[in-house]
Amino acid sequence: MRDLIWMIPALPLAGFALLLAFGKRLGEPLAGWLGTATVAGSFVVTLGVFLTLRTDGGADHRLTQSLFTWVPAGSFKADLGFLVDPLSISMCLFVTGIAALIHLYSIGYMHGDPRYHVFFTYLNLFVFSMLMLVLGDNLLVTFLGWEGVGACSYFLISFWFSEEANASAGKKAFVTNRVGDWGFMCATFFTFSALGTLSYTGIIDGASALPRSTATVIALLLFVGAVGKSAQLPLYVWLPDAMAGPTPVSALFHAATMVTAGVYLMVRINPVLAASAHWLPTLIATVGAVTALFAATIALAQNDIKKVLAYSTVSQLGYMFLAVGSGAYVGAIFHMITHAFFKALLFLGAGSVIHGMGDEQDMRRMGALRKLMPITAATFIVGWLAIAGVPPFSGFFSKDEILVYAWQKSPVLWAIGFVTAILTAFYMARQVYLVFFGDARWGEPVPEAAASPAANEAQQSAAEVDDTTATDANDEAPVAAHAASDAGADGHGHEAHADVHPHESPWTMTLPLVVLAVGAIVAGALNMPFFDRLKVLEHWLAPVVEHGQAHLTVSSGLKVGLGVVTVVGALVAFALARLVYLRGRQDVAEQIEQPVFARGWYYDSSIAAFMGGPGRRLFDAVSWFDRTIIDGAVNGVATLVRGGGDRVRVLQSGYVRNYALGVAFGAIVLVGLLLSRAVF
Amino acid sequence: MSPVLAAETAGSFPLLTAVVVLPAIGALVTALVSKRRPELAKQCAVLFAVATGALTIAVLAGFDTHAAGFQMIDHVRWVQDPQISWTMGVDGISLWMVVLTGILFPIAMLGAPPHHDEKPFYAWLLLLEAGCLGAFLALDLFVFFLMFEIVLVPMYFLISGWGYEGRRYAAMKFFLYTMFGSAFMLVGTVALAYLHAKGGPVTFDLRTIAEHQGVLSPQTGRWLFLSFAIAFGVKVPLVPLHTWLPDAHTQAPTGGSVILAGVMLKLGTYGFLRFGLYVFPEASVYFAPAMITLGVAGIIYGAICATMQQDLKRLVAYSSVAHLGFIILGTFSLTTQGIDGGVLQMINHGVSTGALFLLVGMIYERRHTREIAKLKGLQRSAPVMAGVFTLVMLSSIGLPGLNGFVGEYLTLLGAFLTHRWWAVVAVTGVILASLYLLWAYQRVFHGTPDEANADMPDLRWTERLVMAPLIVIIVFMGVYPKPVLDRIEPSVKKLVQHIETNTHYREPKAPKVRPAPAAGGQTASQGKAGK
């Protein structure tokens, strides 16, 4: 399998090419099956390569394959090559595995969409890009994948492009990511000028010899890129809006795989981080912890079922950066894997609910779905327990490991992580209770949302009313858009909310839920605490992270203590949420769901106001300067020349008598001059 | 004094001369076609353009990849004293300009036919092609100047004759502005030849002048460089000499815009390489920081102006200012990577911006407007056009895997090696590029189409065929630019060496990768590697 590494990304690429050429002819559901098959095939090849690496990886646990020289220029050379090591193959396994499940799910979810084949075309291109990102053996190939997934994300967020809000969300995602890409590109320049190569092998071997300042700059700039891609403060704003895309996209791109690319990159360059100044890991840990807490508070007050999960994703990614900053690289990857399982599960579960409810996304109009959607409900609850950190579900183990390392880094960081864990348990419990338990509130009018049920009205209100309502209208727009396109296609959707008949989804959708639920339960076994033999992932990743991984000096008693405190905190949060949302304590709920949370601390709207206000005025000023000053000067010169020419032209009148007059006048002057000379 | 024509290099077929002469003959033949048979004029013109394209491909096929100097030289003495000769030669830099010209002209002719007076339109285009090819291939300062000037005339008539509402103003502005620059170059050319001769026999031969450095004092060299730089700076265009460009591009007919952006702007950047760096190495090093500043200014300024445009074609025109800024940045980084990237970016810009102008022209043909506000939701009515536009847009933004990225990346990398902080600032242009193009795309293609836009027809088969070669080039050069770079690089390396031997400038050498075992000795990886 050593020579077949290229097949891992090539299969989805072939799928993309085939779907691009024949997708329309294949139609539904063949296009979907083709897309699923290529990704599943890629998963099988990945398994084979994984086994080869285990048995036959050599001393350095690396398999490489170089296809051709991509960019040769002078001393600069970047190959299109792959690096298979424990880190990249672990990523590949869960990327292809989860992607295959989500492809399968999409066959059911996208049923009836007029651009069904286009969806799978993009989805396959995404998997290809993601695999290039992970498998690339140098920063430039990773950047190829990095930008590729960004472009696919742009395509699919604005998949239902008829709605302006979706189009805006896609553009916002791309442009915000590009801010991070600025850091990535600059980092590659610094790397090349310091090391003369962009290959990971060269970087890892050369990192320890880098001057501290150079290592710091490189790591910091790559972190800027990671902040953009992984939606951390201050660049997280695109991710909540990205929920405008179809739900499988939210699950695959914006929860399980693409957004974890930043974490992957940080782990990949851990030797550089280890060689950089000490304040940098602290900065990374702080950004992660603050983002985790910040996003969790916002998730408390969201009513859109997908928005809760979106902010939750931002928050969980914050945990991963907290782990990176604390030197818990294994913990970061561990949490990335468990998170991929339970968050993909939660998103797909939410998609199943949305599908079953006839494109309803507002949790205030749900409730009591447990009996009607048993599989969805059961799997969703598994996801909930996993993300809340209840043992023995996977989230407990990975989150616990991160928090222990955070404690070792600084108890303050631990405290932030701890509070976030409690908030996570609370808002996820709120979601489960609102959606699956309590009374059925299907189709009931909701105060704000009732004002703008239809897409066009939402657009109008966005244009007319003040900023706060506009945000709400934007929240509603994707829902309405989906409803419109779905209803237009096959009458499957429901235009009137009063007429809701929740139902369980088809097997193509529930099977992935079940598989992911199993994963969310057992993935914790990858890295059990205390017993060295059970730390499978830690041993497996050891060759990759040996430079950077911090060593735990925390006593076993403290570890147990921290774990118990977190679990107790989560259980208390469950109880509280039960009290508030199942016992109908609306007054308490209103206390918790502060407008400042619901509006995301006004961060996004402030940026939008700045970009639309001073930012736009600045751009306008430059444009005015160009028109008026620079071009004005050009035209001014032209006018001047023409004016001067006009005046001179008067002399060239064409009348002989005028010329004669001139000649006569000149003659008189000449004669006068000569005379004066003769006389004096 | 009558011109003396005498073939010096007998024997092999004068391929390069044929490349220049064939479209000129084509122009003449097209002009002689009967007025009553306009369709014949088109067929005849396209035939000549395609034949010329085939000849340029023949040049590519016959090109010796590993040779750094000029190849396939045709040398015919023309004037004895001062020595002026018809010298044509190609190297890795001009090769791609020639091929680009050969490919873009037939595409511009087929993709954007005029609505009236076919015959003169095609005749002017062919004359323009001859001029462009002549300028790219000329190795004689006088012939270069001649060709550089000749191209103005057909373009003036193309804009003023087949352009849009403001065509007269735009054509006049274009003509006067470029003439203004050329005046400086004329003085510079003559002064260079006579000052270089030092009283001896005067020659306009590029190689003789460029290879014998040290004749002129640095002071004189710098003044002469400036006289050339003004002409090229207007042509590129460099900020703040750029305002003729948005008007000319917007008002020109689609075919004219494609050629203007794709080929004619390159006369400026090519001029900087050939008559700036090669002839005035000392002055190039001296002025490099200033030129890099202008390049970065163009990148950011052009992008900001593009963002605020209301006219789709004008937006693309301003994006050219930004893209050409990258080329200047790479050229005056004076590094192999930067100049490689600059040459690559010249091809990329020609292909991508040419394709964008074609697409904008196709939209105008259907909707009779270029105003962004009047276009909406076109992706629904024309999905194929939207798909092609998306691909070209992403290439223009510089998405890795497509052509724009490789060139842009190398120019920035090269600039970083000599002017670190300027490059870091220039990378922000990458953010801005995504901003203005995606915003324009959203306003034009996304959303729900109103009545006027709902029934816009999609690309016809002929139009798809016209776009196809450009798409192939965009993807191929993004995935496998090596064949192109392999041919560019020897000449670029030679140019950099030429600068190094004649100035104190030394190209910064990137550190060599240390062999892994040596590095492993100091790192913690030793434990693992030793097992």
Side-chain angles (χ1 to χ4, degrees), chain B residues 366-412:
Chain B
R366 291 161 164 77
R367 292 279 299 103
H368 301 288
T369 182
R370 300 181 306 262
E371 209 177 312
I372 295 174
K374 287 187 181 161
L375 303 164
K376 198 167 185 246
L378 296 187
Q379 187 169 350
R380 176 162 286 184
S381 40
V384 176
M385 179 193 267
V388 175
F389 198 102
T390 305
L391 183 90
V392 177
M393 168 179 81
L394 291 177
S395 136
S396 191
I397 288 176
L399 195 82
L402 301 176
N403 60 349
F405 172 72
V406 185
E408 207 169 270
Y409 186 83
L410 287 177
T411 55
L412 288 167

Side-chain angles (χ1 to χ4, degrees), chain A residues 109 354-361 479 482-483 486-487 492-494 497:
Chain A
Y109 189 84
I354 295 167
H355 191 80
M357 290 287 290
D359 301 306
E360 175 61 76
Q361 284 186 224
V479 194
H482 190 182
D486 215 32
H492 172 77
H494 302 271
H497 291 298

Side-chain angles (χ1 to χ4, degrees), chain A residues 68 70 72-76 144 147 155 161-162 164 167-168 171 178 182 188 193-194 196 205 208 620 626 631 635, chain B residues 169 173 242-243 301 308 318 337 380 397 400 409 413 424 427 430 439 442 446-448 478-479 481 485 489 511 523:
Chain A
F68 56 83
W70 181 23
S75 52
F76 179 84
L144 167 76
E147 291 276 279
F155 296 147
F161 59 83
S162 298
E164 285 291 345
S168 291
K171 179 191 66 192
R178 276 254 150 166
W182 171 86
T188 62
S193 69
D205 292 343
S208 57
D620 269 333
D626 191 59
D631 202 27
N635 286 330
Chain B
Y169 167 75
K173 194 173 183 180
H242 65 280
T243 53
Y301 185 85
M308 301 318 294
Y318 269 105
Q337 289 86 3
R380 176 162 286 184
I397 288 176
Y409 186 83
L413 179 71
V424 169
V427 181
V430 171
W439 194 29
Q442 180 189 349
H446 284 159
T448 313
V479 177
L485 281 167
E489 191 155 308
T523 64

Side-chain angles (χ1 to χ4, degrees), chain B residues 83-94:
Chain B
Q83 205 184 83
I84 299 172
S85 54
W86 175 270
T87 313
M88 297 278 140
V90 66
D91 72 346
I93 297 168
S94 54

Side-chain angles (χ1 to χ4, degrees), chain A residues 181-489:
Chain A
D181 295 346
W182 171 86
F184 198 126
M185 280 181 85
C186 290
T188 62
F189 300 151
F190 275 100
T191 308
F192 174 71
S193 69
L195 292 170
T197 179
L198 291 184
S199 84
Y200 287 127
T201 325
I203 293 170
I204 290 164
D205 292 343
S208 57
L210 279 177
R212 171 151 295 187
S213 55
T214 314
T216 310
V217 169
I218 293 172
L220 180 67
L221 286 168
L222 285 175
F223 178 58
V224 170
V227 161
K229 193 60 83 192
S230 294
Q232 297 294 290
L233 276 172
L235 296 179
Y236 81 93
V237 288
W238 63 272
L239 186 60
D241 285 16
M243 297 304 130
T247 304
V249 172
S250 310
L252 181 59
F253 296 29
H254 306 129
T257 57
M258 183 181 98
V259 288
T260 62
V263 182
Y264 164 78
L265 185 68
M266 289 290 108
V267 177
R268 177 52 88 201
I269 57 134
N270 72 80
V272 183
L273 263 176
S276 59
H278 293 301
W279 57 263
L280 185 58
T282 310
L283 174 75
I284 294 173
T286 310
V287 167
V290 171
T291 308
L293 180 63
F294 176 81
T297 59
I298 300 174
L300 286 177
Q302 299 301 314
N303 291 317
D304 184 319
I305 186 171
K306 283 177 75 180
K307 279 278 162 82
V308 176
L309 295 175
Y311 282 106
S312 156
T313 304
V314 175
S315 175
Q316 297 296 313
L317 289 165
Y319 271 120
M320 295 176 212
F321 280 98
L322 173 61
V324 167
S326 308
Y329 294 100
V330 176
I333 297 294
F334 186 25
H335 197 58
M336 184 194 292
I337 294 171
T338 60
H339 175 257
F341 280 110
F342 62 68
K343 189 53 67 63
L345 168 63
L346 289 170
F347 262 115
L348 294 188
S352 180
V353 169
I354 295 167
H355 191 80
M357 290 287 290
D359 301 306
E360 175 61 76
Q361 284 186 224
D362 195 318
M363 296 194 298
R364 288 168 298 186
R365 287 196 287 252
M366 295 179 182
L369 292 175
R370 179 184 39 172
K371 295 214 177 75
L372 289 163
M373 309 179 79
I375 304 174
T376 305
T379 52
F380 201 94
I381 287 168
V382 169
W384 162 47
L385 296 174
I387 192 175
V390 178
F393 295 91
S394 60
F396 166 74
F397 296 101
S398 54
K399 193 184 284 183
D400 194 51
E401 184 172 336
I402 291 173
L403 287 177
V404 172
Y405 277 88
W407 174 276
Q408 181 170 297
K409 179 93 181 165
S410 153
V412 178
L413 289 174
W414 175 84
I416 299 175
F418 173 69
V419 174
T420 307
I422 292 175
L423 292 178
T424 309
F426 184 83
Y427 68 70
M428 285 310 298
R430 168 178 178 261
Q431 180 168 45
V432 169
Y433 294 146
L434 282 179
V435 174
F436 294 104
F437 293 86
D439 308 322
R441 300 176 303 277
W442 313 332
E444 280 179 19
V446 174
E448 296 142 83
S452 54
N456 50 357
E457 281 181 43
Q459 277 310 112
Q460 280 174 2
S461 62
E464 284 162 16
V465 296
D466 64 319
D467 182 59
T468 47
T469 325
T471 316
D472 250 322
N474 277 336
D475 289 355
E476 293 297 319
V479 194
H482 190 182
S485 75
D486 215 32

Side-chain angles (χ1 to χ4, degrees), chain B residues 507-521:
Chain B
E507 185 182 11
K509 293 277 174 273
K512 281 269 182 287
V513 191
R514 284 177 301 279

